[in-house]
Amino acid sequence: MVSNLFDIEEIKSQYNFKGEYYDFDILNNGHINNTYVLNFDYKGCEKSYVLQQINTAVFKNPEELMRNYVGVTDFVRNKVIEAGGNPLRESVKVYYTKDGKPYYLDKSGRYWRVINYVINTVSYNFPDNTEICRKAGKTFGNFQKLLADYPAEELCETIPNFHNTVSRYNDFIKAVEEDKAGRVAEVTKEIEFVKARKKDCSVLLDLLEKGELPLRVTHNDTKLNNVLFDKKTGEGICVIDLDTVMPGLSLYDFGDSLRFAGNTADEDEKDLSKVRFNAEIYRSYTEGYLSAAGDSLTPAEIYYLPFSVKLMTLECGIRFLTDYLNGDVYFRISRPEHNLDRCRTQFKLVEEIEEKYMELMGITQLICEHLK
Ligand code: GN1
Ligand code: MG
């Protein structure tokens, strides 16, 4: 069968899949890559693989990206094995093509990769309860620790300046000046919102430059739906979506997680009265995160935890707004004002975080005292 999404016969001819292919599901949780689950019948049992088309407009060097990806997944798998875990459930595995490559470049120039499908897991777009967040915090905290001795010099920057908020701000200013899609006039309020917070954009980068925050190997895309939870035990078992594992700040990962999980509504909710920042989610995520990663963090990294949530939320809002101004060329959208709606939820959250700032500082301090 040839779907207009991918040619299964061509893909099948490249890989040693086990069993007879029968159908596929679309897994489009993310805004960037196209992801499918390929289902096979293997001796009467279902055997599935994940097929992803790498978005080369976003990841301009897919071959370097796959070098990172294999390096990181092999490293994590070895750590899981050392710890006596189950590598096929607790880590991502890249399948190689018949000619020994970790990706397949098809005739039309599209890059594909195949990875393991972890059965009996669930992921959440929305935290049903604070326990899920505590577990997500623990899982990302562990992941952070796991990568602590990864040789950072071996990693390429798959997207240069990915969480460089100053560079994101400059891209935004450029988009305003160019006004490619003729949308500037309708978003003056949002533009002013960003300009009023220009100073925030450089805070963490200045600390990094002064040597007050350490450069680490980080995930950089720590949305809740990038953790797989075991359906039976409910524990977070595997971190996925490893395209942006690069040198970065631990605060990027922490802040981005809470940007997403701390929101009481969806990232693209139109009704802003539903968008609040949930301090209880902050508390449980931070408890989980610090219980796993706390002893490897510096006091400065801990002090800036609440600030990082504000900054990563502001940065994400800036990115959505920039893309809206540029005519929606980066994030996948499914309605005309999708990026604008996303930007507005992020800015509403920034306001909420600003209001609750002292409360979040207090929660963090209390957690640290308990953990001592
Ligand atoms: C993108 O594809 P997804 O949804 O995992 C983006 C993240 C943003 C996120 C916002 C490579 O991630 O940086 O935070 O959308 N990934 C990339 O939802 O740009
Ligand atoms: Mg992602």
Side-chain angles (χ1 to χ4, degrees):
M1 182 192 69
V2 177
S3 82
N4 55 3
L5 307 170
F6 55 89
D7 179 345
I8 186 64
E9 291 309 322
E10 193 185 338
I11 297 288
K12 262 167 50 186
S13 72
Q14 299 301 318
Y15 286 90
N16 289 310
F17 292 118
K18 279 187 184 156
E20 282 298 307
Y21 170 80
Y22 61 92
D23 69 2
F24 71 94
D25 302 303
I26 299 181
L27 259 192
N28 272 350
N29 259 346
H31 302 336
I32 307 292
N33 293 324
N34 290 322
T35 307
Y36 311 98
V37 181
L38 306 182
N39 301 314
F40 292 74
D41 180 339
Y42 180 58
K43 298 181 178 166
C45 296
E46 188 177 69
K47 165 95 185 139
S48 303
Y49 299 85
V50 174
L51 171 72
Q52 288 192 299
Q53 183 192 348
I54 303 169
N55 182 333
T56 48
V58 168
F59 298 106
K60 305 243 189 291
N61 197 334
E63 295 179 21
E64 267 190 10
L65 176 142
M66 285 312 293
R67 240 196 331 270
N68 272 13
Y69 202 98
V70 167
V72 170
T73 51
D74 283 353
F75 186 85
V76 171
R77 186 164 345 103
N78 285 334
K79 293 257 170 156
V80 169
I81 294 169
E82 271 168 33
N86 177 349
L88 270 179
R89 287 186 70 67
E90 295 168 38
S91 60
V92 175
K93 176 188 161 90
V94 176
Y95 287 94
Y96 283 68
T97 59
K98 287 178 184 168
D99 55 4
K101 290 212 171 75
Y103 56 83
Y104 169 56
L105 172 59
D106 76 10
K107 291 177 205 116
S108 51
R110 297 184 295 178
Y111 279 86
W112 302 91
R113 72 170 162 240
V114 174
I115 57 175
N116 54 326
Y117 176 76
V118 188
I119 57 165
N120 297 326
T121 56
V122 58
S123 71
Y124 300 95
N125 278 317
F126 199 78
D128 295 343
N129 57 59
T130 52
E131 257 334 279
I132 288 172
C133 288
R134 186 187 317 279
K135 288 174 177 164
K138 205 172 144 202
T139 311
F140 279 126
N142 272 326
F143 190 77
Q144 169 79 73
K145 259 183 118 165
L146 213 76
L147 292 179
D149 53 348
Y150 191 88
E153 64 286 354
E154 283 178 15
L155 289 172
C156 74
E157 266 196 292
T158 55
I159 302 181
N161 294 322
F162 190 58
H163 282 310
N164 181 325
T165 318
V166 171
S167 139
R168 295 292 187 184
Y169 183 89
N170 294 338
D171 291 348
F172 152 76
I173 293 294
K174 186 164 170 265
V176 173
E177 281 163 7
E178 291 179 349
D179 195 13
K180 280 188 191 149
R183 291 168 168 174
V184 162
E186 74 182 88
V187 292
T188 50
K189 211 174 114 206
E190 286 75 16
I191 292 173
E192 287 318 307
F193 186 93
V194 177
K195 287 186 172 167
R197 289 162 181 78
K198 181 180 178 189
K199 269 200 194 140
D200 289 333
C201 298
S202 56
V203 171
L204 297 186
L205 290 167
D206 288 347
L207 290 165
L208 173 67
E209 204 171 314
K210 284 191 267 171
E212 290 175 28
L213 285 174
L215 193 64
R216 298 181 183 276
V217 173
T218 47
H219 181 281
N220 297 304
D221 187 8
T222 46
K223 280 157 83 164
L224 181 63
N225 59 18
N226 283 333
V227 176
L228 300 182
F229 293 86
D230 189 300
K231 263 189 195 161
K232 263 197 216 135
T233 66
E235 293 302 321
I237 55 167
C238 185
V239 172
I240 57 168
D241 200 355
L242 307 167
D243 293 306
T244 49
V245 173
M246 296 183 267
L249 298 180
S250 62
L251 289 165
Y252 296 156
D253 283 357
F254 179 84
D256 196 41
S257 274
L258 280 154
R259 165 192 84 73
F260 189 79
N263 185 355
T264 55
D266 285 332
E267 192 179 67
D268 58 358
E269 174 59 55
K270 279 171 174 292
D271 179 355
L272 291 181
S273 69
K274 292 186 184 158
V275 178
R276 309 291 309 271
F277 186 78
N278 186 335
E280 284 316 305
I281 293 281
Y282 178 91
R283 186 195 306 278
S284 46
Y285 186 94
T286 308
E287 279 170 359
Y289 178 77
L290 289 180
S291 74
D295 56 3
S296 64
L297 300 175
T298 67
E301 286 179 295
I302 292 176
Y303 180 81
Y304 284 95
L305 291 175
F307 178 78
S308 75
V309 183
K310 174 183 164 183
L311 183 70
M312 296 315 291
T313 310
L314 176 66
E315 182 191 277
C316 196
I318 293 175
R319 292 175 63 199
F320 288 140
L321 182 57
T322 305
D323 198 31
Y324 185 68
L325 292 171
N326 286 338
D328 308 309
V329 290
Y330 186 92
F331 295 104
R332 179 176 20 242
I333 54 164
S334 48
R335 54 178 190 258
E337 297 199 335
H338 213 158
N339 273 319
L340 181 57
D341 294 337
R342 289 169 175 154
C343 149
R344 287 181 171 149
T345 62
Q346 301 305 292
F347 291 171
K348 170 75 189 292
L349 280 175
V350 169
E351 282 173 343
E352 285 266 313
I353 299 163
E354 286 171 347
E355 275 165 32
K356 296 186 178 165
Y357 203 74
M358 291 322 287
E359 186 187 346
L360 303 181
M361 289 293 278
I363 291 173
T364 316
Q365 212 177 345
L366 264 181
I367 297 171
C368 288
E369 277 163 22
H370 276 291
L371 284 173
K372 263 183 204 158

